[in-house]
Structure formats: C-alpha cells, structure tokens
Amino acid sequence: MSAVLTLGGPDHLDRLMPLVAAFHEEAGIKSTQEQRHAGIAPLLDGVPHGCAYLIGPPRAPIGYIVITFGWSVEFGGLDGIIDELYIRPGVRGRGIASEALIALPRALAGGGLRAIHLEVDKTNAKALKLYQRAGFATRDNYLFMSKRL
C-alpha cells in the first residue's frame, strides 16, 4: 500500500467526508455533518488558509491530512499546522502514516513553508513514536494551548 499524497480539490469532497466523520468519531470530536463540511469544503475550494491531502488512491483514499497555514517570525515565514491526520483502521501499522509525514514536507516546501507543527496527546506513545520517526521533535518548555472562540 502506498502513501501517495494527492492535493484535495472540490471533486474529492464526497471521498473525504466519510473519512473526516470516522476520524472525529474515533477521536471523540463532537461535530455535525454541517460543521465537518464547513471545515473541509473551503480547503478543497482553494482558500489560502490551508489544504487537504488524500492519502492513497484518490478514487478510494485510505486517509487524509489537513494542513492549516500561518506565519511565524521565529521560523522566518510561512508555517503550517497538521490539523488532522487519519488513516483507516484496517490499513494502520503498515507505515502509511510515516510515509505520508515524510512526503508532506516535500509537497509543501515548494510553497515556501519554513516549518510544520502538530499537536499530539503526550500519553499516546504510538503517535509520539510515529511523529518522532518522521522528524518532529518536542520543544522544551513549550506547550500548545488553545482557546475556543
């Protein structure tokens, strides 16, 4: 199985929506179909705030990654946050997420990204190991914090 990344477009919405719903269900994220649509559709339509990549064959993706864009003075320009990463349970453990995380910087580097960040549950040992293998590192004395508006 391959972690080929395909930049999502409007024609991929019907393939991504069930994956987003599955991820939210598994992660305990309470969201409605309308909220998920409002979150993913603009990214597929080309808003400048982020993008979504399908993982695997575009006609039958096995997962997806959503990246949102920002600006960092510290990192010297455009940066991104991996907002969601999901691989179907039936194909996990085959290195697909690792492949996707290694391919992602190559896909984004042409757009001028200087850094990619992510948030991870510090008690999720499997996820920590995955992200470390892909070159992500914790930052001493830093804690990712959020405030819902």
Side-chain angles (χ1 to χ4, degrees):
M1 199 141 310
S2 174
V4 171
L5 298 179
T6 302
L7 183 60
D11 54 327
H12 296 119
L13 182 63
D14 290 342
R15 291 177 192 92
L16 278 173
M17 289 299 290
L19 294 171
V20 175
F23 171 69
H24 285 199
E25 176 72 25
E26 185 177 314
I29 298 169
K30 300 208 182 303
S31 64
T32 65
Q33 179 76 359
E34 292 79 24
Q35 289 169 324
R36 291 188 296 272
H37 185 274
I40 200 82
L43 297 174
L44 302 177
D45 288 336
V47 297
H49 309 295
C51 63
Y53 284 92
L54 289 76
I55 301 172
R59 290 186 177 181
I62 57 175
Y64 71 97
I65 300 177
V66 170
I67 311 298
T68 59
F69 301 128
W71 192 265
S72 171
V73 173
E74 177 182 352
F75 288 98
L78 192 62
D79 67 351
I81 295 175
I82 296 176
D83 185 56
E84 295 189 2
L85 167 61
Y86 179 75
I87 304 292
R88 290 183 189 270
V91 294
R92 290 184 190 157
R94 300 180 189 181
I96 295 165
S98 292
E99 269 186 62
L101 287 169
I102 290 167
L104 185 64
R106 289 191 298 265
L108 296 173
L113 249 67
R114 305 297 302 232
I116 303 172
H117 316 281
L118 57 79
E119 179 180 25
V120 61
D121 178 342
K122 61 185 170 186
T123 65
N124 187 338
K126 287 177 89 173
L128 284 166
K129 187 175 177 181
L130 164 69
Y131 297 137
Q132 288 167 342
R133 273 194 320 263
F136 289 85
T138 58
R139 298 179 66 203
D140 291 338
N141 301 318
Y142 284 84
L143 178 67
F144 196 83
M145 298 174 69
S146 304
K147 180 177 180 178
R148 189 175 295 272
L149 304 178

